[in-house]
Amino acid sequence: MNFDNVYISSISFRTPGISSSTDLYNLVQSTQSSNVDWLKKEFKISHMNRISTVSLLDLHAKSKDVKFMPKKSDAKVMRPDIIASAICAQELVENISADNLDGDSIAFYMANGFCLDRLSDTIDEMCSHYFHPDIEEHRGKENFDLATIKNQALDRFTPPLFVLNALTNAAQSFGSQYGGFYGDNATLGNTSQSGFYSIEQGANDIESGATNMAVIGGSNGVGRYSGITHQGFCNGNLFESEGSGFLLLESGESLAKRGATPLAKLNTLLDSKEVPSIFKDVSYDKQFSINNKKSESVIFSGAFSNESHEELKLEVESNWESQKSLFPFWGNLGVAQNNLDIILAIETVLKEKLPSIDCFNRDLFGRQSIINIGSCS
Amino acid sequence: MSQKVYILDYESITPLGLGDDEILKSLKLNHLPGKDLSHFSTAGLKTHGAACVEADLTPFFENCSDQVKELAHFDRKFELLVATYKKCESRLRDVISKCDSKRAGVVLGVGLDVSPLEKIDKYMQVYKENSLDAFNNVLMDFNEKNENRVPIFQNPLDLSSLYLAEELGLGAFQKTVISACTSSTQAIALAYRSIHRGDTDIVLTGGTDSILNLMAYTAFGKLGVIAKSDKAVHEYCKPFDKNRTGALVGEAAGLCLMVGEEFVKKHGLKPKFEMIGYGNSLDGYKITSADPTGKGMKSVVKMAIEMGGIKASDIDYVNLHGTGTRLNDELEIESFLSVVGEQGQGISVSSTKSRHGHAIAAAGIQEFNLLCKCMEENFVPATMNLENPVVGNEIDLLKENKNKELKVGMTNNFAFGGVNTSLIIRKL
């Protein structure tokens, strides 16, 4: 689908270690190797079986995050991916320095998905007390009943706010609360294709005139459970990271009214519209990318392991003249991947004075997409 | 190109019955399926009841692969979804086979996947020595032994939409909405928008959810949303009653086949309803409560009415969200009244959650399909257990079932985190 009137006017993101688009671009430019040793020194990288993850660390410790940190009463039910969403939502608005934004008309589409991962220690504790309760203190008591003891143990160790900690739409809820977006909305889960759908929904809203602004958020949570979910789809080794990326899409009329200059233009959104496969091996149309590319430069994503990244890189090299990828640094960024690729694309277009650049993504189930980002200069 | 959007077919499995005919029968008989849980022991917990789908779903899985059966055994949401699909499979195939797969999509609302502790208890005993890692070890053991791509526990939230896409050849998109109690309501709205815009000819929408497993049930109990009462389970949920104490939790799955005007004309189809409007907003207030001014709730009712090109007085029946919890019921009805004003006196409203329970992410599709069935039969179900209503005669809040011609109907859902969604349909 082609768009004539959809611009990107603000961006915000948090990945482990990097939070400015210039730093992101410089990092990708300066480091070509696909090993992550340097990350191990700087950030918390966890290895579980054959699964590696990088977490968003100490967001509040960074000076630029302090003013955006959520209230303590909210933070106690927020996972790191949710905190990152609240921070990004506020920064997105601050970046455009606009007065009197009409929050009621700002649409907000969010991609999110893994909601239990940062609760895995809590779940372990709940389960350990349920499966092996201390029954000695109860033995001999009248009406001794193992089910009662087990359930009481589970109940005692279930945090009262567990449901809110695990809430599937928490990223959107707090993004709305802290960013001031109250319009049409949805939270979609839970692969990179959900990120594509979120962008598509917001772009359609603007192109159709339903709204002048749409916030697109993607916040990825990772850990043990996401590892279990994904491992079977990528033949073993898995490398994925937490990350959050936000875009503000805006119409030309709204930009003109504000006297603002956009960062980039959203030219096209295309996806392969093939029937995906969940139970069988991923098969995909290998002609999709070559038939639908709009530029000779690409930001690509879709690998889950170093091996699959190398394969994907070879495929991409045969279709585009120049390529960049965030995979070597953070692995797969899941639902946040498309937004983070677009942020790198915007910086690349600006720095390299390109007329446009493609963002090519393939998700876990073989769904493919190309988003073309154009220069506004 | 914008086009009209029609509802061609729908099907549900809920605590009120297997299929919409059974559900209607239960509604007319005022059947209240809420009772003490039998899926697992609730001994020692502070809450005991729920509305469950009691029927044996095994016959629906006769022709399913072993993998689908195994996934369904451990994931109740998926089990309910597959059973609902199987119930209407031939009808769906008949229509969807006429459509180019690139013009047919699926969008479902689903809830979070929480592993059923009660079903893996026996596997945990192996890890007596290291109980803190026992749960994790069991998940890993299952994962290691699993020869299939899809894990048995912690399966992808997209599982249900991808399963249906693969079964029916739905290539345009496979979306999964995870907006808590508005998930499937928003899924219906997204289906509408895709067809209305002309992007697709057909969208299969709906959703599935069940929190009737030990961990999820305990967690909801600790949050304080499940009703606590000395009364029998089927009596303790009292939406819009001054003495309400909480929700009756439930489970459900539902599907709805929406089609575009052009497709209907081309294939000579006979849809039952037209979807004419929706409203969708965020409160951005607090994760735990709705905006106390009802701003978001009011806005979606207003939006849906305006989009539908109707007056409030044209609405014959509204299936309200009405969970029976202390905080939201009064705000919901006050917000609705502030939009419809004096026209409210002619509008019949009720919550059916004291009958079938709150199905969380599947609440939207359960109540949307129920609305369709009631409109087909010109039947308005009352709010059961309502004794002391929070409003007077400003609105027709039903304590008794009634027969009434229903041409235009509305359904509203509101979610934790301040999501508000309203849908309006018109009978053809």
Side-chain angles (χ1 to χ4, degrees), chain A residues 246-265:
Chain A
F246 273 58
L247 311 171
L248 179 63
L249 305 184
E250 191 168 357
S251 69
E253 295 79 10
S254 176
L255 284 160
K257 198 174 165 188
R258 293 198 298 113
T261 308
L263 299 170
K265 185 171 178 294

Side-chain angles (χ1 to χ4, degrees), chain A residues 104 109 128 131 151 155 158 168-169 173 176 182 184-185 187 189-190 197 205 224 229 231 278 280 367, chain B residues 41 43 46 124 131 136 143 149 154 158 166 174 176 178 186 193 222 278 280 282 284 295 416-417:
Chain A
D104 289 347
Y109 298 102
S128 72
F131 289 119
N151 286 349
D155 189 58
T158 299
T168 50
N169 59 321
S173 175
S176 162
Y182 314 119
D184 215 338
N185 67 88
T187 300
N190 65 333
Y197 292 144
D205 281 3
R224 182 194 304 164
T229 301
Q231 212 170 16
I278 188 164
K280 290 173 268 182
R367 294 178 287 190
Chain B
S41 169
K46 294 178 187 75
M124 303 291 291
S131 64
N136 185 33
N143 198 33
R149 284 151 50 86
Q154 301 300 317
D158 315 73
E166 209 164 342
Q174 309 77 31
T176 301
I178 50 172
Q186 288 195 329
R193 293 173 66 179
K222 287 285 284 236
Y278 79 92
N280 194 21
L282 290 161
K295 184 183 151 210
F416 265 142

Side-chain angles (χ1 to χ4, degrees), chain B residues 58-240:
Chain B
T58 316
F60 292 111
F61 288 81
E62 248 173 32
N63 299 317
C64 289
S65 68
D66 289 345
Q67 190 182 2
V68 167
K69 285 176 191 165
E70 190 173 30
L71 285 165
H73 173 70
F74 287 109
D75 183 345
R76 179 68 168 168
K77 300 187 305 295
F78 186 59
E79 183 183 20
L80 292 168
L81 187 279
V82 174
T84 306
Y85 160 62
K86 289 292 175 186
K87 188 144 187 12
C88 56
E89 181 180 2
S90 59
R91 282 146 48 197
L92 294 176
R93 284 191 186 280
D94 192 37
V95 178
I96 293 170
S97 62
K98 296 180 171 74
C99 188
D100 173 1
S101 76
K102 289 184 177 3
R103 302 268 310 158
V106 54
V107 51
L108 300 181
V110 302
L112 189 62
D113 191 27
V114 178
S115 301
L117 300 185
E118 65 279 11
K119 288 189 177 175
I120 54 176
D121 202 348
K122 61 183 174 184
Y123 305 104
M124 303 291 291
Q125 303 310 322
V126 179
Y127 296 102
K128 275 189 175 162
E129 298 306 312
N130 188 1
S131 64
L132 196 57
D133 284 337
F135 178 64
N136 185 33
N137 285 332
V138 168
L139 297 192
M140 289 297 186
D141 285 352
F142 269 89
N143 198 33
E144 287 294 316
K145 286 176 201 155
N146 182 24
E147 291 174 353
N148 299 307
R149 284 151 50 86
V150 184
I152 293 157
F153 297 113
Q154 301 300 317
N155 59 52
L157 285 172
D158 315 73
L159 175 64
S160 292
S161 58
L162 289 164
Y163 166 77
L164 290 177
E166 209 164 342
E167 281 283 311
L168 294 164
L170 306 168
F173 54 74
Q174 309 77 31
K175 295 179 185 173
T176 301
V177 184
I178 50 172
S179 307
C181 310
T182 50
S183 298
S184 50
T185 329
Q186 288 195 329
I188 296 165
L190 290 180
Y192 167 84
R193 293 173 66 179
S194 170
I195 297 171
H196 181 69
R197 211 167 39 234
D199 293 348
T200 45
D201 295 321
I202 282 181
V203 179
L204 182 60
T205 186
T208 182
D209 204 2
S210 173
I211 59 162
L212 302 185
N213 71 65
L214 184 57
M215 196 193 296
Y217 186 79
T218 305
F220 272 86
K222 287 285 284 236
L223 193 63
V225 295
I226 302 177
K228 288 175 193 164
S229 167
D230 294 335
K231 289 188 172 180
V233 175
H234 67 273
E235 293 175 346
Y236 71 30
C237 177
K238 301 160 76 72
F240 305 113

Side-chain angles (χ1 to χ4, degrees), chain A residues 31-333:
Chain A
T31 314
Q32 297 299 322
S33 82
S34 62
N35 76 65
V36 293
D37 288 345
W38 67 276
L39 270 174
K40 289 180 194 169
K41 291 177 199 154
E42 298 283 335
F43 314 114
K44 182 183 175 187
I45 183 160
S46 315
H47 298 278
M48 297 165 296
N49 206 355
R50 288 163 294 165
I51 303 165
S52 305
T53 63
V54 187
S55 312
L56 282 164
L57 278 189
D58 299 328
L59 287 160
H60 58 286
K62 291 179 191 156
S63 58
K64 70 182 285 192
D65 291 336
V66 171
K67 67 176 172 177
F68 298 130
M69 276 307 287
K71 290 179 285 190
K72 277 186 183 170
S73 58
D74 288 334
K76 69 184 178 190
V77 294
M78 295 168 86
R79 311 182 296 269
D81 55 315
I82 309 302
I83 293 175
S85 290
I87 289 173
C88 289
Q90 293 170 81
E91 191 174 68
L92 197 74
V93 174
E94 187 181 83
N95 286 346
I96 61 169
S97 309
D99 296 326
N100 306 319
L101 279 181
D102 175 17
D104 289 347
S105 70
I106 301 176
F108 184 16
Y109 298 102
M110 187 79 215
N112 200 218
F114 285 94
C115 308
L116 288 174
D117 269 312
R118 285 303 191 96
L119 296 171
S120 55
D121 290 346
T122 307
I123 293 171
D124 281 349
E125 187 167 10
M126 287 158 56
C127 293
S128 72
H129 290 283
Y130 169 73
F131 289 119
H132 302 289
D134 185 2
I135 59 173
E136 292 313 315
E137 60 179 288
H138 300 278
R139 207 178 286 281
K141 282 184 186 171
E142 205 176 332
N143 299 325
F144 175 86
D145 174 57
L146 188 59
T148 302
I149 293 166
K150 284 166 79 86
N151 286 349
Q152 283 174 340
L154 178 69
D155 189 58
R156 192 160 57 244
F157 286 93
T158 299
L161 299 178
F162 184 88
V163 171
L164 300 179
N165 281 123
L167 195 67
T168 50
N169 59 321
Q172 184 183 62
S173 175
F174 283 116
S176 162
Q177 183 181 327
Y178 283 92
F181 324 128
Y182 314 119
D184 215 338
N185 67 88
T187 300
L188 296 156
N190 65 333
T191 72
S192 53
Q193 185 69 9
S194 316
F196 176 86
Y197 292 144
S198 301
I199 298 165
E200 185 183 51
Q201 207 71 49
N204 279 329
D205 281 3
I206 291 175
E207 190 78 0
S208 68
T211 185
N212 280 313
M213 284 187 181
V215 172
I216 312 300
S219 246
N220 197 44
V222 297
R224 182 194 304 164
Y225 300 141
S226 68
I228 290 171
T229 301
H230 292 147
Q231 212 170 16
F233 294 96
C234 43
N235 300 320
N237 294 327
L238 174 64
F239 176 29
E240 56 182 4
S241 291
E242 286 180 341
S244 187
F246 273 58
L247 311 171
L248 179 63
L249 305 184
E250 191 168 357
S251 69
E253 295 79 10
S254 176
L255 284 160
K257 198 174 165 188
R258 293 198 298 113
T261 308
L263 299 170
K265 185 171 178 294
L266 184 67
N267 287 331
T268 58
L269 285 164
L270 291 163
D271 65 337
S272 51
K273 301 204 184 301
E274 289 174 276
V275 177
S277 175
I278 188 164
F279 295 120
K280 290 173 268 182
D281 279 342
V282 172
S283 63
Y284 44 81
D285 176 10
K286 293 203 171 170
Q287 295 302 308
F288 171 76
S289 57
I290 192 72
N291 288 343
N292 293 292
K293 69 173 200 165
K294 306 284 180 198
S295 167
E296 285 306 327
S297 301
V298 69
I299 312 293
F300 71 97
S301 54
F304 274 82
S305 64
N306 287 333
E307 295 73 20
S308 62
H309 174 65
E310 290 306 317
E311 281 173 28
L312 183 59
K313 194 174 167 192
L314 282 176
E315 187 184 324
V316 166
E317 278 171 353
S318 67
N319 291 343
W320 280 274
E321 284 177 12
S322 74
Q323 321 82 27
K324 289 182 174 61
S325 175
L326 295 172
F327 184 89
F329 315 102
W330 297 285
N332 196 295
L333 286 150

